[in-house]
Amino acid sequence: LFEGMSLDDLPRIELFMELTGRWNEVSAPIVLQYLDPEVAAEDWVEAAKPVLGEMREILVLMKSEALLFPKCRYRDTCLSPLVESQGRKLDAFTRLHGSVSNMDEESELAAQATIQEIAAEQSVLISKMFDELRSTGLMSPYVEEVVRDRAEKNARLLNPR
């Protein structure tokens, strides 16, 4: 374990992973609708409103969990940066929503680019999180399987065909 961390903190890590999975489940439909040329812009704007609210609620929970986590290297190098990037991603989705609503193509393209940049950054960050957990011996084959199953589920959410 990391200095300042105990086995009692493992449920918090699991909850944080669940919140991350929940974020993906909630956001996947609006991503798919946004990419679907058959969905009218105004329909997407209406459908995305409540989803942005749910994403905001999940982000608040993620922030709370990160703050409640004991001060340690894992919190500082993994959890806090992920929460910060989720906040930036929510801001970018909010800008995308406003851009589509206002039919501002330039802002829409900028928001798209930001979302893609943050997604790439998060991919690296999540790999780092799991590497950190592996280094402590906390990533058992069971946990690895659960993580892999969640990743596959998230991939199916974004590619239902």
Side-chain angles (χ1 to χ4, degrees), residues 60-72:
V60 167
L61 292 172
M62 292 175 90
K63 285 180 179 181
S64 296
E65 285 304 313
L67 289 172
L68 291 171
F69 206 82
K71 181 117 176 87
C72 64

Side-chain angles (χ1 to χ4, degrees), residues 65-79:
E65 285 304 313
L67 289 172
L68 291 171
F69 206 82
K71 181 117 176 87
C72 64
R73 188 178 86 219
Y74 187 75
R75 175 180 143 180
D76 295 343
T77 63
C78 296
L79 295 182

Side-chain angles (χ1 to χ4, degrees), residues 3 8 12 14 16 22-23 54 65 69 73 78 83 88 93 99 111 120 131 133 135 139-140 149 152-153 159-160:
E3 188 175 329
D8 294 337
R12 283 201 187 288
E14 185 174 313
F16 202 85
R22 179 74 184 126
W23 171 288
E54 283 186 73
E65 285 304 313
F69 206 82
R73 188 178 86 219
C78 296
V83 168
R88 288 187 296 115
F93 269 109
S99 299
D131 288 346
L133 288 174
S135 75
M139 287 292 281
S140 67
D149 287 347
E152 289 171 3
K153 180 180 178 185
N159 190 9

Side-chain angles (χ1 to χ4, degrees), residues 14 17-18 21 145-155:
E14 185 174 313
M17 290 169 56
E18 288 174 15
E145 184 177 331
V146 168
V147 169
R148 192 172 23 262
D149 287 347
R150 285 186 183 162
E152 289 171 3
K153 180 180 178 185
N154 289 336

Side-chain angles (χ1 to χ4, degrees), residues 60-127:
V60 167
L61 292 172
M62 292 175 90
K63 285 180 179 181
S64 296
E65 285 304 313
L67 289 172
L68 291 171
F69 206 82
K71 181 117 176 87
C72 64
R73 188 178 86 219
Y74 187 75
R75 175 180 143 180
D76 295 343
T77 63
C78 296
L79 295 182
S80 294
L82 182 60
V83 168
E84 187 270 333
S85 71
Q86 287 293 83
R88 288 187 296 115
K89 188 185 265 185
L90 179 58
D91 289 344
F93 269 109
T94 302
R95 285 193 311 277
L96 179 67
H97 183 263
S99 299
V100 172
S101 180
N102 295 324
M103 293 183 271
D104 181 346
E105 190 174 336
E106 186 176 326
S107 294
E108 182 179 348
L109 292 173
Q112 284 177 11
T114 301
I115 291 167
Q116 290 172 343
E117 288 168 15
I118 293 169
E121 169 189 305
Q122 286 181 334
S123 179
V124 171
L125 185 56
I126 290 169
S127 291

